[in-house]
Amino acid sequence: MEILVDTLLFELLPSYTEVGKERRARQKDKFLCFDMGVRNSLLGRRKLEHFSREELGRLFEQWMILQILYYNQLHKKGWRISTYRDAFGVEVDLVIETGGGGCVAVEIQSSTRADEKMFKGLRRFEQLAKRKVHRYLVYQGEFEQRFEGLGTAVPYQNFLQSVIPALD
């Protein structure tokens, strides 16, 4: 896998490591193919009707993660970007540590509707982090919604155009 990362064919998304500790919350890093079309072609999947709803959700999640990784690289932000999953299967798709003590937790959903249940992993992560965490649910809906005490659901376009550039 190191060769694939070194040749820019795959991106490595490390598991979240608590600051100042070496214990990882999730034992496996994520590897993401640099391009979704290449990935699908390698798998022989060339038409959308060949994908289940669950697979389309994973594709959307991977596409979003790649956009954020590439933004970080292009603008030389130096953010530490990782993923989190605990022993109980609760996960957060992205943890973005901006360097100034800021931490952003992002859950990515391909749904067009947001609800409180989708914030479960984000709340759990904030308890682990023991610091202020800005919690975002990125989804395919049309409107930004604030869920009191849970976080903000943001359409993916707004997240990429407004939230990500404002981080630091």
Side-chain angles (χ1 to χ4, degrees):
M1 289 307 289
E2 280 183 43
I3 292 170
L4 294 173
V5 171
D6 289 345
T7 56
L8 305 177
L9 293 174
F10 277 76
E11 293 289 335
L12 170 65
L13 187 62
S15 59
Y16 177 77
T17 304
E18 295 178 56
V19 176
K21 298 181 182 178
E22 290 303 316
R23 185 177 68 83
R24 291 176 179 258
R26 178 183 180 156
Q27 297 302 315
K28 293 182 182 178
D29 298 334
K30 273 189 183 181
F31 288 92
L32 308 168
C33 187
F34 80 102
D35 181 272
M36 301 308 298
V38 171
R39 174 211 178 268
N40 295 341
S41 184
L42 289 171
L43 294 174
R45 311 300 269 305
R46 293 181 179 88
K47 295 184 180 180
L48 280 180
E49 57 266 12
H50 293 164
F51 294 98
S52 70
R53 186 171 171 82
E54 185 178 313
E55 289 173 311
L56 288 173
R58 284 195 301 263
L59 289 173
F60 177 68
E61 176 185 314
Q62 183 170 338
W63 178 81
M64 277 296 303
I65 291 170
L66 287 172
Q67 299 311 301
I68 295 164
L69 289 173
Y70 294 153
Y71 181 91
N72 184 39
Q73 292 170 7
L74 177 67
H75 295 282
K76 297 177 175 47
K77 292 291 190 178
W79 298 334
R80 183 169 172 245
I81 301 176
S82 56
T83 186
Y84 166 77
R85 182 178 175 132
D86 68 16
F88 303 105
V90 175
E91 66 181 347
V92 173
D93 295 319
L94 281 178
V95 176
I96 305 170
E97 296 174 271
T98 58
C103 186
V104 177
V106 181
E107 178 63 29
I108 302 166
Q109 295 284 326
S110 64
S111 175
T112 57
R113 294 180 182 217
D115 67 47
E116 293 180 0
K117 289 181 252 174
M118 295 175 174
F119 288 87
K120 179 182 179 183
L122 298 173
R123 287 186 313 210
R124 179 82 149 249
F125 175 76
E126 186 170 36
Q127 293 168 350
L128 169 85
K130 297 179 182 163
R131 60 179 162 162
K132 177 66 178 151
V133 174
H134 299 281
R135 296 175 284 192
Y136 290 97
L137 171 69
V138 176
Y139 75 123
Q140 293 189 35
E142 296 181 31
F143 305 103
E144 186 169 308
Q145 303 173 53
R146 296 200 190 286
F147 288 82
E148 195 62 40
L150 298 176
T152 305
V154 181
Y156 73 95
Q157 303 97 322
N158 295 8
F159 190 77
L160 292 172
Q161 293 172 353
S162 301
V163 177
I164 288 296
L167 292 181
D168 275 332

